[in-house]
Amino acid sequence: MNVGDRVRVTESVVIYHHPEHRGEAFDIKGLEGEVFGIATEWKGRPVSANFPIQVKFTKKFKAHLRTDELETI
């Protein structure tokens, strides 16, 4: 996966920070978005992030996900 790729969530991922469902459990399976970042380094040092793929779904909603939870469209 690269920055700019369109992706779809393939696994059931429950989040609590969706702008329209704040504080409630919300499953984002099936949502489509765009990869806007990949966390591989921080301040020039390599990191091993648990959720390295940063996906932007809407203007107000972004999430960090694993590669096995996403598929490229």
Side-chain angles (χ1 to χ4, degrees):
M1 256 174 249
N2 299 312
V3 174
D5 287 352
R6 294 281 304 161
V7 293
R8 179 183 300 125
V9 180
T10 58
E11 300 294 321
S12 179
V13 178
V14 178
I15 54 127
Y16 291 86
H17 67 278
H18 192 278
E20 297 172 10
H21 305 278
R22 188 158 315 271
E24 302 172 9
F26 182 71
D27 190 0
I28 61 172
K29 182 177 182 178
L31 285 183
E32 296 179 4
E34 180 179 337
V35 175
F36 75 94
I38 301 174
T40 56
E41 64 177 47
W42 184 71
K43 293 188 178 180
R45 296 176 18 201
V47 296
S48 58
N50 293 334
F51 302 99
I53 309 298
Q54 301 169 340
V55 181
K56 181 176 184 177
F57 294 100
T58 64
K59 186 175 179 180
K60 293 183 178 184
F61 177 54
K62 302 173 187 173
H64 293 246
L65 301 165
R66 296 189 311 251
T67 55
D68 63 336
E69 297 171 333
L70 299 169
E71 71 176 355
T72 305
I73 300 175

